[in-house]
Amino acid sequence: MAFQYIPNIAVKGMAACVPKKVEDNRELSLFETEDDRNKFIQATGILKRHTVKGSGLCASDLCFQAAETLLAEIGWERSEIGYLIFVSQTPDYIFPATACILQNRLGLSQECYAMDISLGCSGWVYGLTTIASLLSSSVNMKKGLLLVGDTTTITKSPKDKSTYPLFGDAGTATAVQYEEGSIGLKIHAATDGSSHKAIMIPDGGFRNFFSGDSLVEHEIEPGIVRNSLQSILDGPGVFTFGITKAPKSISSVLEYFDIKIDAVDYLVLHQANKMMNEKIRKKLKIEPEKVPYSLPEYGNTSSSSIPLTMVSQLCDPLRLRHNVIVACGFGVGLSWASVILETNKIVCPLVIEI
């Protein structure tokens, strides 16, 4: 199994930003009956979602605002930031890389290493692993910004009850520093590309380039209508994947590094849906109060769901004390990863709305 240990790495701060516009699942006309609506909300735990629709905002705008707020509070000099990693599957353009644009917008040095990573639900853990590895190998740069966010609501068909009511938009910023003596990160990561069609947008890339046919809507089944530029989600297949791979990954990384589940303060899961995450929690036999949820307010926010949950639900513990946290992301790719990290009185502003 793919384990990593990256010592001397500390998370020093986190911030999150969401769009002001809110859609309430209790008011969606997509559900045929009140009973259907109530069953959906009970199973997913999602009451509301923040969306960029109609605003012109991109994931980079949300991440930019999160980063600006975080940098103002943490007090870092921008010239000290040697690495900028942007993780998203909704970048500004096909090219150039959005990280290059953010380097300029944030006023970072031209000597800054900037790179995009195209990952969804597992993206924060993969991004954290990447920036930590870069910092560990650097000769003179000790600070980095991990920007993770998605605006997936614009990729969902409003006529598709299997995807549209699940997703919200958010952007986050995580300040990471090389610091001698810090515990660092303990990681497990894995991939199963044989199931890549389980969550995908078929057209619009270079395998299936955009054409007029891409815009033609197809009724897959009653209540599921979409075109080829909108997301496909194999719900049953992804559910089975999540409740199988996530608990195995978490258990394996704890076992490999000889850490007892009782020593963990919080388990922060990708916010897929409540039914899936509760099955994972129960498999791991961890208390409900140790597993925070941002689903009711924000829905499934793809790559940003783990840091958004930490900022929105754990802000006081993060600010005030030491914490042992296990985070696990799982989904599109298919890809999954778990990380054990420790935080100690980090900077954590309240969730920003723009």
Side-chain angles (χ1 to χ4, degrees), residues 88-157:
S88 181
Q89 297 199 307
T90 52
D92 286 14
Y93 306 103
I94 293 176
F95 58 81
T98 305
C100 299
I101 299 168
L102 284 165
Q103 170 271 329
N104 178 62
R105 288 185 69 185
L106 287 166
L108 305 187
S109 166
Q110 291 186 4
E111 297 298 314
C112 180
Y113 178 117
M115 179 177 72
D116 282 11
I117 296 176
S118 177
L119 276 174
C121 314
S122 64
W124 185 76
V125 180
Y126 269 89
L128 189 62
T129 304
T130 302
I131 202 164
S133 300
L134 290 166
L135 287 165
S136 292
S137 63
S138 175
V139 174
N140 63 335
M141 289 298 190
K142 304 303 180 186
K143 295 178 180 179
L145 270 181
L146 172 62
L147 305 184
V148 179
D150 275 300
T151 52
T152 54
T153 62
I154 59 176
T155 70
K156 306 296 179 281
S157 167

Side-chain angles (χ1 to χ4, degrees), residues 133-267:
S133 300
L134 290 166
L135 287 165
S136 292
S137 63
S138 175
V139 174
N140 63 335
M141 289 298 190
K142 304 303 180 186
K143 295 178 180 179
L145 270 181
L146 172 62
L147 305 184
V148 179
D150 275 300
T151 52
T152 54
T153 62
I154 59 176
T155 70
K156 306 296 179 281
S157 167
K159 301 177 184 179
D160 184 352
K161 65 182 180 181
S162 71
T163 62
Y164 189 79
L166 289 169
F167 291 89
D169 301 327
T172 65
T174 305
V176 187
Q177 184 170 336
Y178 181 87
E179 187 175 74
E180 289 285 349
S182 291
I183 295 297
L185 309 177
K186 302 173 177 74
I187 304 133
H188 168 259
T191 310
D192 178 13
S194 69
S195 298
H196 70 275
K197 292 183 179 180
I199 311 171
M200 73 179 302
I201 296 175
D203 287 8
F206 292 101
R207 176 68 62 187
N208 299 315
F209 206 66
F210 170 80
S211 70
D213 291 339
S214 302
L215 298 171
V216 177
E217 291 186 337
H218 301 277
E219 182 174 21
I220 311 305
E221 60 183 76
I224 301 179
V225 178
R226 59 176 177 250
N227 64 41
S228 296
L229 296 174
Q230 295 168 327
S231 296
I232 294 171
L233 174 65
D234 173 11
V238 172
F239 186 88
T240 300
F241 155 76
I243 64 172
T244 303
K245 298 298 187 182
K248 184 177 179 181
S249 175
I250 294 162
S251 295
S252 64
V253 75
L254 288 168
E255 181 181 356
Y256 187 85
F257 291 104
D258 194 25
I259 297 172
K260 304 298 182 188
I261 192 75
D262 292 343
V264 174
D265 294 301
Y266 297 104
L267 170 64

Side-chain angles (χ1 to χ4, degrees), residues 42 61 87 96 200 209-210 249 308 316:
Q42 184 177 12
D61 299 313
V87 182
M200 73 179 302
F209 206 66
F210 170 80
S249 175
L308 175 62
D316 284 343

